[in-house]
Amino acid sequence: MRRVRAVAAAVLGAGLVAGLGGCADASGAKAEHRAWAFEGKRLTVDVDDAALDVVAADVEKIEVTRRLAGHVVLGEGPKASWALDGDRLRLRASCSGLLTDCDARYEVKVPRALALSVRGRDGAVRVSGFRTAVEARVEDASLRVRDVSGPLDVRSTDGSVDARGIGSRTVRMRSADGSLHLVARTAPALVDTDSRDGSTTLELPGSVAYDVRTEVGDGSTRVSVDRAEDGAHKVRAHSADGSVTIREAG
C-alpha cells in the first residue's frame, strides 16, 4: 500500500509540474495603470520579487504600469500591491503554493526634476534617463543604468552592475558578487569602484588623462588610458577577486 501511495504521489507531482506549462512571462500580460501626485524632491522606489524599469519622463505625476502573469498549484497568486507612502513607492508581487510559476513587471515613469533612490530584491532593475542624482541598492538582482548624468551611486549584493551612456561627474559602483561595467560618455571627475568577487571594466573618454590607482587581490590589471598623476580626473578601482580593465571608450 505504501508503494502504491508513493507512486501515486510521484505521478501527481509530475502532473502538477506539467500543468504549469512553460515559464511565466508577464511582458505580454494585461497592463494595469496607476498614478500618484508627488511634491517631494527625491523618490525611493522599493520593489521585491519583480522586474523594475524606472524612467525619467515628461510627466507631472509618478506613473506606474504593472503586468502580472503566472500559475499556482494548491496555493494562491499571483498577487500584487502598490502604494506611495511618503517619499517611498512600494511595489510588491508574490505567489504561494505547492508549485508556483509567476512573473511580475513594473514600469515607473518619474518627473525629470526628481532625484531617485532604488531598493530592489530578487528581480532585474533598470534605470534610465535621469539628469538628477541616482542611488540604487539591489540584492539578488542585476542592475542596468542607461543615460544618467547626475551623481551616480550604485551597489549590488549579488548581481552584475552595467552602466552605459553615463555623463555623471561622480560615479561610485560596488558589487559583493558580480561584475561591474561602466561606459562613460563624458570624462568623470571621479570614478570609485569596489568589487569583492567579479571583474571590473571601465571605459572612459580618451580626451583627458586620468589619475588612476588600482588595487587587485587576485586577478589581472590592464590600464590603457592616458595617465596623469594627481590629475583632475581620478579613477580608483579595487577588486578583491577579479580582473580590472580600464580603457578608452569606443
Side-chain angles (χ1 to χ4, degrees):
M1 179 62 71
R2 290 181 179 175
R3 176 177 175 79
V4 171
R5 288 176 179 171
V7 172
V11 172
L12 175 60
L16 293 176
V17 172
L20 287 176
C23 293
D25 184 358
S27 58
K30 179 181 177 181
E32 303 172 83
H33 304 280
R34 190 166 177 187
W36 290 268
F38 186 74
E39 297 182 356
K41 295 182 178 180
R42 176 183 287 271
L43 175 70
T44 297
V45 181
D46 186 337
V47 65
D48 194 1
D49 201 20
L52 172 67
D53 189 358
V54 188
V55 182
D58 295 321
V59 296
E60 295 182 357
K61 297 181 178 181
I62 299 167
E63 299 182 1
V64 182
T65 299
R66 179 175 71 190
R67 290 180 170 85
L68 303 172
H71 312 279
V72 176
V73 176
L74 299 181
E76 55 183 358
K79 298 189 299 182
S81 63
W82 44 11
L84 181 64
D85 181 11
D87 63 356
R88 185 173 292 258
L89 177 65
R90 299 180 187 275
L91 308 173
R92 295 291 184 268
S94 65
C95 283
S96 60
L98 177 62
L99 294 172
T100 64
D101 181 19
C102 296
D103 185 37
R105 304 190 181 201
Y106 292 91
E107 180 185 37
V108 180
K109 293 182 179 179
V110 175
R112 293 190 183 278
L114 292 183
L116 176 71
S117 292
V118 175
R119 298 293 181 269
R121 289 167 295 279
D122 197 17
V125 174
R126 180 183 172 96
V127 175
S128 60
F130 283 81
R131 299 172 186 172
T132 53
V134 171
E135 178 253 358
R137 303 289 185 267
V138 300
E139 302 175 15
D140 296 323
S142 62
L143 175 61
R144 301 290 177 265
V145 181
R146 298 292 183 268
D147 302 321
V148 166
S149 55
L152 181 62
D153 185 346
V154 293
R155 183 172 301 177
S156 172
T157 299
D158 186 3
S160 63
V161 178
D162 187 283
R164 299 171 187 256
I166 304 303
S168 308
R169 281 187 53 79
T170 60
V171 178
R172 289 181 170 84
M173 304 172 69
R174 301 286 186 272
S175 174
D177 186 2
S179 62
L180 300 175
H181 194 167
L182 168 69
V183 181
R185 69 172 185 264
T186 60
L190 172 66
V191 176
D192 184 0
T193 69
D194 191 334
S195 173
R196 294 183 187 176
D197 187 2
S199 63
T200 299
T201 302
L202 308 178
E203 299 185 49
L204 308 174
S207 55
V208 302
Y210 298 89
D211 175 7
V212 178
R213 301 181 189 180
T214 63
E215 182 180 352
V216 177
D218 186 6
S220 61
T221 302
R222 295 183 291 274
V223 179
S224 57
V225 296
D226 290 339
R227 304 179 70 163
E229 187 174 352
D230 296 326
H233 301 273
K234 303 183 185 301
V235 178
R236 304 291 183 261
H238 174 268
S239 175
D241 188 0
S243 63
V244 170
T245 301
I246 304 172
R247 62 189 182 218
E248 286 190 18

Coordinates of all heavy atoms in Angstrom, one line a residue, residues 133-137 143 150-155 170-174:
A133 N 20.4 63.1 -9.4 CA 21.2 62.1 -8.6 C 20.4 60.7 -8.6 O 19.2 60.7 -8.4 CB 21.5 62.5 -7.2
V134 N 21.2 59.7 -8.9 CA 20.6 58.3 -8.8 C 21.4 57.5 -7.8 O 22.7 57.4 -7.9 CB 20.7 57.6 -10.2 CG1 20.3 56.2 -10.1 CG2 19.7 58.4 -11.2
E135 N 20.7 56.8 -6.9 CA 21.3 56.0 -5.9 C 20.5 54.7 -5.9 O 19.3 54.7 -5.9 CB 21.3 56.6 -4.5 CG 21.9 55.8 -3.4 CD 20.8 55.3 -2.5 OE1 19.6 55.6 -2.7 OE2 21.2 54.5 -1.6
A136 N 21.2 53.5 -6.0 CA 20.5 52.2 -6.1 C 21.2 51.2 -5.2 O 22.4 51.1 -5.2 CB 20.3 51.8 -7.5
R137 N 20.4 50.4 -4.5 CA 20.9 49.2 -3.8 C 20.0 48.0 -4.2 O 18.8 48.0 -4.0 CB 20.8 49.5 -2.3 CG 21.5 50.7 -1.8 CD 23.0 50.5 -1.9 NE 23.8 51.7 -1.3 CZ 24.2 52.7 -2.0 NH1 24.0 52.7 -3.3 NH2 24.9 53.7 -1.5
L143 N 21.6 45.0 -12.2 CA 21.2 46.4 -12.2 C 21.8 47.0 -13.5 O 23.0 46.8 -13.8 CB 21.8 47.1 -11.0 CG 21.7 48.7 -11.0 CD1 20.2 49.1 -11.0 CD2 22.4 49.3 -9.8
G150 N 23.4 62.7 -13.7 CA 23.6 63.2 -12.3 C 24.5 62.3 -11.5 O 24.9 61.2 -12.0
P151 N 24.9 62.7 -10.3 CA 25.8 61.8 -9.5 C 25.2 60.4 -9.4 O 24.0 60.2 -9.2 CB 25.8 62.5 -8.1 CG 25.4 63.9 -8.4 CD 24.5 63.9 -9.6
L152 N 26.0 59.4 -9.6 CA 25.6 58.0 -9.6 C 26.3 57.2 -8.5 O 27.5 57.2 -8.4 CB 25.9 57.4 -11.0 CG 25.5 56.0 -11.3 CD1 24.0 55.8 -11.2 CD2 26.1 55.5 -12.6
D153 N 25.5 56.5 -7.7 CA 26.0 55.7 -6.6 C 25.2 54.4 -6.6 O 24.0 54.4 -6.2 CB 25.8 56.5 -5.3 CG 26.5 55.7 -4.1 OD1 26.8 54.5 -4.3 OD2 26.6 56.4 -3.1
V154 N 25.8 53.3 -7.0 CA 25.0 52.0 -7.2 C 25.8 50.9 -6.5 O 27.0 50.9 -6.4 CB 24.8 51.7 -8.6 CG1 23.8 52.7 -9.3 CG2 26.1 51.6 -9.4
R155 N 25.0 49.9 -6.0 CA 25.6 48.8 -5.2 C 24.7 47.6 -5.4 O 23.5 47.6 -5.3 CB 25.7 49.2 -3.8 CG 26.3 48.1 -2.9 CD 26.5 48.6 -1.5 NE 27.4 49.8 -1.5 CZ 27.7 50.5 -0.4 NH1 27.2 50.2 0.7 NH2 28.5 51.6 -0.5
T170 N 30.5 62.3 -10.9 CA 31.0 61.3 -9.9 C 30.2 60.0 -10.1 O 29.0 60.0 -10.2 CB 30.8 61.8 -8.5 OG1 29.4 62.1 -8.2 CG2 31.6 63.1 -8.2
V171 N 31.0 58.9 -10.1 CA 30.4 57.6 -10.2 C 31.0 56.7 -9.2 O 32.2 56.5 -9.1 CB 30.7 57.0 -11.6 CG1 30.1 55.6 -11.7 CG2 30.2 57.9 -12.7
R172 N 30.1 56.1 -8.4 CA 30.5 55.1 -7.4 C 29.8 53.8 -7.6 O 28.5 53.8 -7.7 CB 30.2 55.6 -6.0 CG 31.2 56.7 -5.5 CD 30.9 57.2 -4.1 NE 31.9 58.1 -3.7 CZ 31.9 59.4 -3.9 NH1 30.9 60.0 -4.6 NH2 32.9 60.2 -3.5
M173 N 30.5 52.7 -7.7 CA 29.9 51.4 -8.0 C 30.5 50.3 -7.1 O 31.7 50.3 -6.9 CB 30.2 51.0 -9.5 CG 29.7 52.0 -10.5 SD 30.3 51.6 -12.2 CE 29.3 50.2 -12.6
R174 N 29.6 49.5 -6.5 CA 30.0 48.4 -5.6 C 29.3 47.1 -6.0 O 28.2 47.1 -6.4 CB 29.7 48.8 -4.2 CG 30.3 50.1 -3.7 CD 31.8 49.9 -3.4 NE 32.4 51.1 -2.8 CZ 32.9 52.1 -3.5 NH1 32.9 52.1 -4.8 NH2 33.5 53.1 -2.9

